[in-house]
Amino acid sequence: MMLHQHPGELALTRRLIELCSFVPGAKVLDVGCGTGATMRYIHSVCRLETIGIDSSAERLNEARMCSPGLTFIQASGESLPFAPAMFDGVLAECSLSVMQDVGLALQEISRVLVPGGKMAITDLYLADSDSSAGYLNKKQQQTILRELGFTSLVWEDQSAFLREFVARYIMEHGSMEELWQCVVTSGKKIGYFLLVAEKKATKG
């Protein structure tokens, strides 16, 4: 059975959930759920209702074998197959940066969140002023969030977890050649961040 395969692993997942302060039974979507490690944790330990989506049929097959009682759907983050305002929270752990259209994925997350719902992200970001591939710098992230009606609650640099992840990967596999396509970015300085934002409640 595969474990978490992103920097920070369960430690950052646990921090995201704590920062979101979900009530027991809250409905949470895991975007890019992989083999379901996060879902198993938040369902069994945090007592949250959870649905996972991923674009990989292979990862979802493993997830269903490991967790037959949980719901996994093959879908893209840029086109979530859910009604508006369906979830109290959305998690995206190192999944946005590998999507074709990050802005569209964030729009979809906003659409399926209830007003006051939480979006929780860990991912790669650019530590300089330019955007590249699926990466944004902190200022660009904040601009997009405001445009989509989010209030940023917490932003933390967690780059130490990225360095640890890369070092462990090299030790286990001998090189970074097969590591995510998103890690190699034309010499740009890449960091890893944690973000929790809240969808603003509608007026009226």
Side-chain angles (χ1 to χ4, degrees):
M1 179 176 68
M2 293 180 66
L3 301 176
H4 281 65
Q5 293 295 319
H6 59 78
E9 301 188 340
L10 189 56
L12 282 188
T13 299
R14 186 182 299 114
R15 176 146 181 79
L16 283 178
I17 299 301
E18 290 173 351
L19 290 169
C20 288
S21 300
F22 294 122
V23 299
K27 194 167 186 177
V28 177
L29 173 66
D30 186 4
V31 175
C33 64
T35 58
T38 288
M39 292 178 60
R40 289 188 287 275
Y41 169 75
I42 64 177
H43 176 74
S44 62
V45 177
C46 306
R47 304 301 178 189
L48 303 177
E49 184 180 347
T50 181
I51 294 176
I53 70 154
D54 202 281
S55 60
S56 168
E58 181 180 358
R59 288 193 293 266
L60 290 176
N61 286 337
E62 183 169 348
R64 293 182 182 113
M65 287 189 293
C66 294
S67 307
L70 298 180
T71 300
F72 299 94
I73 299 171
Q74 186 172 7
S76 163
E78 294 100 332
S79 182
L80 298 176
F82 306 108
M86 185 171 169
F87 295 95
D88 302 298
V90 176
L91 304 182
E93 295 178 301
C94 209
S95 57
L96 290 180
S97 59
V98 296
M99 294 183 187
Q100 295 295 316
D101 191 330
V102 177
L104 182 56
L106 290 172
Q107 289 178 35
E108 280 290 274
I109 290 172
S110 176
R111 182 182 65 81
V112 302
L113 272 174
V114 300
K118 303 293 197 323
M119 175 175 65
I121 297 171
T122 57
D123 216 319
L124 302 161
Y125 80 102
L126 281 179
D128 58 26
S129 59
D130 298 321
S131 62
S132 176
Y135 307 144
L136 301 172
N137 61 39
K138 182 180 178 181
K139 183 177 179 180
Q140 291 165 327
Q141 293 171 16
Q142 300 300 320
T143 297
I144 291 175
L145 291 178
R146 286 193 299 270
E147 291 174 349
L148 292 174
F150 283 99
T151 298
S152 181
L153 303 179
V154 180
W155 192 99
E156 296 175 350
D157 182 271
Q158 297 286 352
S159 298
F161 282 116
L162 177 61
R163 292 190 291 270
E164 176 186 302
F165 181 88
V166 170
R168 187 170 70 246
Y169 190 97
I170 292 172
M171 289 184 67
E172 292 177 357
H173 300 277
S175 75
M176 282 181 56
E177 186 176 352
E178 300 300 324
L179 193 54
W180 312 314
Q181 61 181 15
C182 57
V183 169
V184 181
T185 57
S186 303
K188 301 284 187 180
K189 184 178 179 182
I190 299 298
Y192 202 74
F193 73 97
L194 175 152
L195 166 73
V196 174
E198 181 176 274
K199 182 179 175 179
K200 295 178 182 178
T202 55
K203 297 180 180 180

